[in-house]
């Protein structure tokens, strides 16, 4: 059984790029940018739950496509986003009941990076994520599914897409805790922007090794999880004061006692996937998996990482573009193969690429642009920003993440004066 190609608008690439461009236009006025989107055709891949057990008949096929978006300013790359999208079709039959067909779409945000060459500080990375999620809402609505899953593993690294950018003086590199807070805020904004308050989006966050008491810091000081045991593995701790369009919850969106292999999605190059690949993990519950994750090399040992999982609602509305649908025979026209996509990554990660300075960043950007222009027909979309200026809270100017500070009492403690005999 092979799933049908997911219906796509005939101008699918232009639609995704335009959604990102629309989001970038809301940035402070005066900026000029260009957006380029790379998308692959669908390719069959292994199931996201490869060792799932069911007592009844079950058939499943999964298609994958890869996505890469670049934003440039003055010919120099300033931001990039890489996503892996999965479409799964399941057929289940139990007893004499008619077979039930189910489709699920899950998107794993793999890499988000800036080069440090943005001429004016603005929330470029956040706008890039928001534009991508908005594109999901617009072209996935035609699939007639209630929601799309958005997943990411937040781990602080100095560079993801732009080689040697960690040495660029214009790049702001976040630490573990700052990155977790940034992603929570960025997803909050992106989900609100993309869903347009059509229906409440449910978002889950878990920081391995942290307790529910600490969740108020990660999810926002005005959000208090519902009553429950003080357990780092607690699930579905709904916030008492969630925003109208995003309901934040502490934990994974799976029952703690469920067998992990039956429900936890396993994405490529992910700590959860590596743990569940161990032979002795077969009987692990979700709770046991989280316990193991908190002491793993990637999530333990003093590291603070986070898993974010959100359900982006796709209620049909007047903005959903369903009238311009291409059939399966033309759905892959203009899309790259996985092999071509990997060649682009080889160029991007080549040892000669260098974003540590303005001169080298421009040279590296030009090298990638020449390769794309020579080998693929991937147009650029120009963007002129028209949004209002950003006003920052002076109290947060020196500490955007509200990290706890240490009281300095050295100036108020009086020392006993020595008596000279």
């Amino acid at each position: 059984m092979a799933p049908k190609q997911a219906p796509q608008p005939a101008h699918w690439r232009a639609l995704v790029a335009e959604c990102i461009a629309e989001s970038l236009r809301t940035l402070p006025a005066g900026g000029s940018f260009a957006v380029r989107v790379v998308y692959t055709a669908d390719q069959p891949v292994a199931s996201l739950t490869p060792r799932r057990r069911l007592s009844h008949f079950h058939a499943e096929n999964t298609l994958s496509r890869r996505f890469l978006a670049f934003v440039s300013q003055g010919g120099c790359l300033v931001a990039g986003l890489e996503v892996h999208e999965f479409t799964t079709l399941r057929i289940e039959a139990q007893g004499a009941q008619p077979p039930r067909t189910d489709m699920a779409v899950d998107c794993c945000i793999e890499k988000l990076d800036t080069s440090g060459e943005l001429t004016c500080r603005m929330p470029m990375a956040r706008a890039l994520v928001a534009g991508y999620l908005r594109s999901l809402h617009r072209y996935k609505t035609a699939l007639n599914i209630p929601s799309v899953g958005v997943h990411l593993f937040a781990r602080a690294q100095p560079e993801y897409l732009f080689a040697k950018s960690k040495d660029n003086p214009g790049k702001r590199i976040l630490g573990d805790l700052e990155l977790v807070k940034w992603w929570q805020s960025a997803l909050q904004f992106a989900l609100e922007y993309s869903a347009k308050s059509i229906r409440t989006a449910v978002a889950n966050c878990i920081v391995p090794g942290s307790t529910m008491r600490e969740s108020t810091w990660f999810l926002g000081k005005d959000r208090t999880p519902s009553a429950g045991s003080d357990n780092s593995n607690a699930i579905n701790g709904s916030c008492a004061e969630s925003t109208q369009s995003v309901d934040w919850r502490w934990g994974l969106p799976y029952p703690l006692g469920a067998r992990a292999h039956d429900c936890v999605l396993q994405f490529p190059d992910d700590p959860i996937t590596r743990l569940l690949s161990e032979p002795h993990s077969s009987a692990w519950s979700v709770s046991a998996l989280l316990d193991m994750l908190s002491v793993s090399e990637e999530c333990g040992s003093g590291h603070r990482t986070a898993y974010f999982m959100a359900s982006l609602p796709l209620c049909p509305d007047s903005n959903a573009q369903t009238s311009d649908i291409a059939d399966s025979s033309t759905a892959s026209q203009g899309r790259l193969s996985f092999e071509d996509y990997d060649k682009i990554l080889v160029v991007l990660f080549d040892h000669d690429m260098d974003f540590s300075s303005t001169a080298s960043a421009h040279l590296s950007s030009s090298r990638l642009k020449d390769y794309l222009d020579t080998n693929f027909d991937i147009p650029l979309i120009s963007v002129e920003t028209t949004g209002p200026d950003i006003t920052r809270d002076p109290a947060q100017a020196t500490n955007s993440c509200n990290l706890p500070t240490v009281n300095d009492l050295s100036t108020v403690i009086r020392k006993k004066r020595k008596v000279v005999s």
Side-chain angles (χ1 to χ4, degrees):
M1 178 195 67
K4 295 180 180 180
Q5 292 279 352
Q8 301 293 325
H11 54 291
W12 60 269
R13 194 203 305 273
L15 174 59
V16 176
E18 182 57 34
C19 285
I20 293 177
E22 288 177 5
S23 178
L24 297 184
R25 288 189 188 102
T26 65
L27 294 174
S32 297
F33 302 98
V35 178
R36 191 192 296 258
V37 170
V38 177
Y39 237 129
T40 70
D42 291 333
Q43 177 171 307
V45 294
S47 169
L48 295 179
T49 51
R51 295 165 65 181
R52 185 183 182 193
R53 295 175 183 171
L54 288 173
S55 59
H56 52 273
F57 173 79
H58 170 262
E60 178 177 297
N61 277 87
T62 303
L63 293 176
S64 170
R65 66 170 65 111
R66 299 163 75 181
F67 165 92
L68 191 58
F70 294 112
V71 180
S72 57
Q73 182 181 36
C76 184
L77 293 172
V78 295
L81 172 68
E82 184 178 19
V83 183
H84 213 148
E85 299 180 359
F86 299 87
T87 301
T88 302
L89 178 65
R90 303 182 184 92
I91 296 180
E92 299 182 17
Q94 191 168 13
Q97 298 178 357
R100 184 173 64 90
T101 303
D102 176 56
M103 179 182 288
V105 176
D106 293 280
C107 304
C108 180
I109 297 177
E110 294 186 336
K111 296 181 180 70
L112 177 67
D113 201 6
T114 57
S115 66
E117 287 301 312
L118 194 61
T119 57
C120 180
R121 186 174 177 182
M122 59 180 67
M124 168 65 67
R126 186 184 73 170
L128 184 54
V129 174
Y132 170 72
L133 293 193
R134 181 59 178 162
S135 74
L136 289 177
H137 183 273
R138 291 178 64 178
Y139 80 85
K140 293 295 187 184
T141 297
L143 296 176
N144 196 28
I145 55 178
S147 62
V148 168
V150 180
H151 311 256
L152 71 93
F153 173 59
R155 173 175 51 192
Q157 288 190 2
E159 57 192 33
Y160 274 100
L161 291 171
F162 303 114
K164 303 177 185 177
S165 61
K166 64 181 179 181
D167 299 321
N168 191 307
K171 183 169 185 175
R172 182 188 175 208
I173 300 175
L174 300 181
D176 289 352
L177 295 177
E178 290 178 308
L179 183 69
V180 174
K181 284 288 290 183
W182 184 91
W183 266 116
Q184 189 275 331
S185 176
L187 284 176
Q188 172 81 28
F189 172 84
L191 290 168
E192 290 177 343
Y193 173 84
S194 57
K196 299 294 184 183
S197 299
I198 293 171
R199 200 173 83 227
T200 299
V202 177
N204 287 73
C205 171
I206 185 66
V207 179
S210 298
T211 66
M212 181 174 280
R213 289 178 181 173
E214 296 173 282
S215 67
T216 55
W217 189 87
F218 293 110
L219 301 184
K221 62 183 180 179
D222 60 335
R223 303 187 179 106
T224 305
S226 61
S229 60
D230 182 15
N231 188 337
S232 63
N233 296 335
I235 190 170
N236 293 340
S238 181
C239 301
E241 297 184 17
S242 297
T243 63
Q244 180 181 1
S245 55
V246 183
D247 178 15
W248 281 99
R249 303 180 180 186
W250 182 252
L252 295 179
Y254 314 111
L256 285 175
R259 181 174 176 265
H261 281 282
D262 290 340
C263 57
V264 179
L265 301 184
Q266 300 177 43
F267 296 100
D269 192 25
D270 184 88
I272 284 181
T273 302
R274 282 186 278 275
L275 279 176
L276 291 180
S277 67
E278 298 290 338
H280 56 274
S281 69
S282 178
W284 285 359
S285 64
V286 174
S287 178
L289 171 63
L290 288 175
D291 287 339
M292 296 299 296
L293 199 63
S294 65
V295 296
S296 66
E297 182 178 354
E298 294 174 276
C299 302
S301 305
H303 301 294
R304 283 297 183 104
T305 60
Y307 276 95
F308 291 94
M309 303 179 183
S311 178
L312 175 64
L314 297 182
C315 291
D317 66 343
S318 58
N319 294 323
Q321 301 196 9
T322 59
S323 59
D324 199 9
I325 301 298
D327 61 16
S328 61
S329 62
T330 61
S332 62
Q333 289 182 0
R335 284 186 258 183
L336 280 63
S337 66
F338 273 33
E339 182 180 359
D340 289 333
Y341 185 92
D342 287 335
K343 290 179 180 178
I344 295 175
L345 293 183
V346 168
V347 175
L348 182 62
F349 298 138
D350 185 83
H351 63 87
D352 290 331
M353 300 294 273
D354 185 352
F355 289 87
S356 62
S357 67
T358 298
S360 60
H362 275 270
L363 182 61
S364 297
S365 300
S366 178
R367 183 179 293 118
L368 179 63
K369 179 181 181 298
D370 291 343
Y371 178 80
L372 293 176
D373 291 342
T374 302
N375 296 277
F376 310 103
D377 181 20
I378 306 176
L380 288 168
I381 293 184
S382 298
V383 180
E384 300 293 330
T385 61
T386 59
D389 291 335
I390 298 175
T391 56
R392 299 185 179 275
D393 185 353
Q396 297 181 359
T398 58
N399 191 359
S400 60
C401 284
N402 297 322
L403 295 174
T405 56
V406 179
N407 291 329
D408 183 5
L409 303 179
S410 60
T411 60
V412 297
I413 298 179
R414 294 183 179 180
K415 296 181 180 180
K416 186 176 180 180
R417 190 177 292 178
K418 291 184 178 180
V419 178
V420 181
S421 57

